[in-house]
Amino acid sequence: MQAIGMMTTKSHRLARVLKNPWRSVFSSVERVNYSPAEELATQNVSECSHSLSLRRSFHSSSLFSGNVHGNSSVVGFNHQQDIVQILPSSLRVTQIRLSSSEAIATEVDSAGDAETAKGVYDKLLDSVVKKRSAPPNAWLWSLIAQCSTREDIKLLFDILQKLRTFRLSNLRIPDDFNSALCREVTKACVRAGAIDLGKKALWKHNLLGLTPDIGSAHQLLLHAKQHNDVKLTVEIMELVKENDLPLQPGTADILFSICSSANRWDLISKYGKRFVKSGVKLRQTSFALWMEFAAKKGDVESLWKIENWRSEATKEHSVSTGFSCAKGFLLEHKPESAAAIIQLLYQTLPDGRRTSVTTELQKLVSEWPLDVLNHQKKDNREVFAAALQNDISALINALPSLGVEANVIMQ
């Protein structure tokens, strides 16, 4: 009975202790809410601060004398020998979360390394050279996409050469890579500023296993156009010729634009004849640039040759090519013929596009004569200007009677 009484007394004392105000502390420890992964850092800091405050509370209390040992807290009551062991769930959760966040950070760092050009190159190199196994195609495309410097391009060229050798010796694949890969490689070279390496990709016999096509040359030509680099344009076109890359209408669009901007009539004439001789069907945009350049230069003979090629390729005039022909008639002192072709353009255009005729007429009156005069001999300019002015006036006066409504300011 005495033993039972002592046990009852101890139970009552323990109950009174657990009912004291410190009970809220344990309750808060046990009610740990798991936060999302993206809030780990914030939660870890707050929980560590909270656990430290608990430890200070344990040591400052007159009721408890406790120490934290490893993964458990041992709290002893001063007036009793009983020991209550409480597992600090907050500390366990904090440790688990810290470990998880460190693991995630490590994975992110390694993934970040793999996403650099050097990281992807190392993976490809390990697969081809060490493991002697075919790497996933996605790795090579990833390396191309990650190239941003000249050093990256050198790594790309190195692994391409190794892949070509591996395909031939291990997989018995003698064929080169397809042309789509070559286009992406040249695009990467342009992006990285390694134009000289990009030009090497245009050689049909190369150690990289690349299969160049005219699309690869377009990547370099567009770069030349962006920087008005005529010298690079000529070099690329020489490579196109030497490596038998077939010309396309899009090639002429890029080339003619470069030549026109650089005022290189010699180049646009040279390449234009090359396109015609190769049987390439030029677009209206190419003919428009070519004929406009001829009209600006005042070269009537070349203008009618180009018009003849245009008529064989397309039946209808664009506004630009039509006005180039009108300028050709004016240069031949035939304002009536010039008015007739402008009338034809005006009648065939829908009402919403007829304002383009007025715009081109204004350019013909105010801009074109100055361009033509700059290409004339100095001793003949004054006479030429007077005759051209009379012919332009006759053209403008003839248009209203032909049904062409256009408000043009004569200068």
Side-chain angles (χ1 to χ4, degrees):
M1 292 293 293
Q2 186 177 1
I4 295 173
M6 291 178 66
M7 291 177 62
T8 304
T9 302
K10 290 181 179 179
S11 300
H12 288 170
R13 287 176 180 172
L14 180 60
R16 284 197 302 271
V17 171
L18 294 178
K19 287 180 181 179
N20 67 35
W22 290 101
R23 181 180 180 183
S24 61
V25 175
F26 294 106
S27 300
S28 66
V29 172
E30 293 301 322
R31 292 193 300 269
V32 177
N33 295 320
Y34 289 87
S35 60
E38 62 271 16
E39 298 180 3
L40 285 178
T42 305
Q43 291 295 330
N44 289 341
V45 172
S46 63
E47 289 177 0
C48 287
S49 300
H50 184 57
S51 64
L52 289 174
S53 66
L54 286 178
R55 291 171 62 183
R56 286 195 297 269
S57 300
F58 289 156
H59 287 290
S60 62
S61 173
S62 60
L63 294 174
F64 308 114
S65 62
N67 296 295
V68 177
H69 300 285
N71 292 328
S72 64
S73 296
V74 180
V75 181
F77 297 95
N78 289 337
H79 302 290
Q80 304 293 336
Q81 297 299 318
D82 304 293
I83 295 178
V84 179
Q85 189 176 34
I86 302 170
L87 296 177
S89 57
S90 62
L91 292 178
R92 289 202 312 274
V93 172
T94 301
Q95 291 173 352
I96 292 172
R97 291 182 179 180
L98 284 172
S99 300
S100 300
S101 60
E102 289 172 359
I104 292 172
T106 302
E107 291 176 2
V108 170
D109 290 341
S110 61
D113 292 339
E115 287 306 315
T116 63
K118 182 64 168 62
V120 182
Y121 168 82
D122 289 339
K123 290 198 303 181
L124 285 163
L125 191 65
D126 180 71
S127 177
V128 174
V129 177
K130 294 182 180 180
K131 298 179 181 178
R132 307 300 294 173
S133 62
N137 289 335
W139 289 2
L140 182 57
W141 290 107
S142 177
L143 175 57
I144 295 172
Q146 294 298 327
C147 287
S148 59
T149 66
R150 183 180 182 83
E151 295 304 315
D152 293 342
I153 298 299
K154 288 182 178 179
L155 293 177
L156 173 60
F157 277 29
D158 180 71
I159 203 64
L160 282 172
Q161 188 170 349
K162 286 180 171 60
L163 282 171
R164 179 175 183 263
T165 303
F166 175 80
R167 280 158 52 96
L168 183 61
S169 61
N170 288 56
L171 305 181
R172 300 295 187 270
I173 301 176
D175 299 333
D176 288 338
F177 299 108
N178 60 39
S179 57
L181 183 69
C182 186
R183 287 194 294 271
E184 291 303 314
V185 168
T186 51
K187 187 186 296 185
C189 291
V190 171
R191 185 172 62 246
I195 305 302
D196 57 325
L197 298 178
K199 289 191 291 185
K200 290 182 179 180
L202 297 183
W203 286 98
K204 60 182 177 181
H205 300 299
N206 59 79
L207 298 176
L208 307 177
L210 295 175
T211 305
D213 64 357
I214 195 63
S216 301
H218 285 179
Q219 300 296 331
L220 298 172
L221 284 173
L222 288 171
H223 173 80
K225 177 183 176 181
Q226 183 180 358
H227 294 83
N228 298 317
D229 195 334
V230 177
K231 180 181 178 183
L232 177 60
T233 301
V234 174
E235 292 173 353
I236 295 168
M237 290 307 296
E238 285 300 317
L239 288 172
V240 168
K241 183 179 181 180
E242 290 174 10
N243 292 279
D244 301 320
L245 302 182
L247 299 172
Q248 290 183 354
T251 317
D253 281 348
I254 302 171
L255 270 177
F256 288 7
S257 177
I258 295 172
C259 296
S260 179
S261 298
N263 198 30
R264 292 295 299 271
W265 172 252
D266 58 329
L267 287 181
I268 198 172
S269 299
K270 172 185 175 181
Y271 293 133
K273 293 174 182 178
R274 181 171 158 187
F275 279 101
V276 173
K277 190 175 181 179
S278 300
V280 179
K281 187 177 181 180
L282 299 180
R283 299 168 180 165
Q284 282 276 27
T285 50
S286 295
F287 280 118
L289 284 169
W290 198 2
M291 293 176 68
E292 184 178 352
F293 201 162
K296 185 185 296 186
K297 196 174 183 297
D299 190 341
V300 179
E301 182 180 356
S302 295
L303 177 62
W304 295 132
K305 278 186 179 180
I306 302 167
E307 164 57 17
N308 184 51
W309 291 325
R310 184 212 62 81
S311 62
E312 293 176 356
T314 58
K315 294 182 179 180
E316 297 181 354
H317 272 292
S318 66
V319 173
S320 180
T321 58
F323 266 87
S324 292
C325 289
K327 292 171 184 176
F329 285 126
L330 288 174
L331 291 170
E332 293 179 335
H333 308 294
K334 299 177 181 178
E336 298 82 5
S337 298
I341 194 168
I342 292 175
Q343 178 195 26
L344 180 62
L345 284 173
Y346 189 83
Q347 291 176 344
T348 55
L349 287 173
D351 294 341
R353 293 188 57 195
R354 286 182 175 178
T355 54
S356 61
V357 173
T358 303
T359 302
E360 289 298 323
L361 271 173
Q362 188 62 60
K363 290 180 181 179
L364 183 149
V365 170
S366 58
E367 298 177 11
W368 175 64
L370 296 176
D371 292 331
V372 178
L373 284 174
N374 289 333
H375 289 88
Q376 303 300 313
K377 295 179 180 180
K378 291 184 178 181
D379 55 355
N380 190 42
R381 285 182 181 178
E382 188 172 344
V383 176
F384 180 86
L388 185 60
Q389 186 66 33
N390 291 334
D391 292 331
I392 290 175
S393 298
L395 165 65
I396 299 300
N397 292 331
L399 290 177
S401 61
L402 298 175
V404 178
E405 300 177 0
N407 295 323
V408 180
I409 300 174
M410 295 293 294
Q411 295 180 354

